[in-house]
Every structure is written in structure tokens, then in C-alpha cells.
Amino acid sequence: MTEKDENIMNEELAEETPEFDAPKTSEKKNNQKRWYIVHTYSGYENKVKSNLEKRIEYMNMADKIFRVEVPQKTITQIKGGRKQEKEEKIFPGYVLVEMIMDEDSWYVVRHTAGVTKFVGSAKKPIPAKDSEIKKIIHRSTAQTQKVEMDVKVGEKVRIISGPFAEFVGDITEVYPDKAKLRAMVSIFGRETPVELEYKQIQKL
């Protein structure tokens, strides 16, 4: 975050009236931990998570703020016949916080560097539905395979698996939606069209 962004954020916080209506003492006993969604500056989701976890520790709020999650999933990419894994955010610009909402916990989260607001009404943050959180958590634990076709018609490739392993072919067609391609392979001196999965080839 640039110094300019921090100054703007500090000015907004200084002018802002509390979005959270603190519950009366008699209501606090009924407070339960719920998941809330926090909006952040784009690209600062992990930084907000780290900052908030540090604030929870040194402000002794572990009994009110329990978990901070950045929804993301593992993507397996296959490029040039090689597998690569990376983390991809499911909802860029948002962080999930499991907490008991009161004036103190609201203050700790809302005044964390990078946080812009809670998702909810102007006066009070609205907890997320349990069914929505379960779907998000499920998506975060699921592993997705994303095939990137970094080859094009006319290129030469080596087949690295299957019955035509070690043969070299010329790509004639590419099917990105099916993660397949068709290549002409010289077999016993005769050009033969062969359909291959992308994971079976390697660019030359």
C-alpha cells in the first residue's frame, strides 16, 4: 500500500462514524461467533490477513476473533507437458473473518490496515449465511486442473507418453476446450493423424 493510500484510508477512518451499533449489555450474552465478510484493497488480501492476525494477538482479541481466511484454491496448470501448482483467489478483494461481533471486535477488524469496510448495511455488518461459508470453504479445499494450451498449429512436438511415445509430430489442430490436439506423425514413412491429450506432448 502506498503512502498516499494509507493517508486516504486514515482520513476516511477519522471522518467515519461507527458502522457497528454496539449491543446492550443484556444482549452480549446471546452473541455467537459468526462469519463476516470484509472488503479490502485489491491485491492486499493476504497482507490484511497477516495484519489482522497480528492485531488479534497483541490486542488480546483471540476470545472474540477466531479465524481469518482468504478464500483461494490450488490450480494445477499443465504447460509444455509440465505440471505447475499455484494458489488462485476465489473472491479477490475479500477476506472472511469468524468473530463475535461487538464494538471492540468491530474496531480491531475495521481499523486494520487495508480493510475498507464490512459487507452489510450502513449501520451494522451482516453475518454471512452458514451455507454460503460452507460452499466457499469447500471450493477452497477442492483442487482444480487448469490446462493451458501454449501450443499452436504448425509447431512441432514430441510425444512423451502413450503408444506413440518418442515420435515427433506437427500440430494440425488444437482443441482447447477438450485439452487435446491433433498432430501428423510419420509412422513407417507414412504421415498419420494422431489425436493426443495435451499432457502427452512436449514442445520442441
Side-chain angles (χ1 to χ4, degrees), residues 158-177:
R158 182 183 304 280
I159 303 171
I160 59 176
S161 66
F164 302 103
E166 299 305 321
F167 280 84
V168 173
D170 295 300
I171 298 175
T172 57
E173 295 177 83
V174 177
Y175 311 111
D177 56 329

Side-chain angles (χ1 to χ4, degrees), residues 149 157-165 167-169 171 173 175 178-185 193-202:
M149 304 294 288
V157 293
R158 182 183 304 280
I159 303 171
I160 59 176
S161 66
F164 302 103
F167 280 84
V168 173
I171 298 175
E173 295 177 83
Y175 311 111
K178 297 180 180 179
K180 293 183 178 181
L181 56 84
R182 186 180 295 273
M184 295 299 291
V185 180
V194 176
E195 187 172 273
L196 303 161
E197 293 184 10
Y198 188 55
K199 64 184 179 181
Q200 290 181 278
I201 62 96
Q202 190 174 63

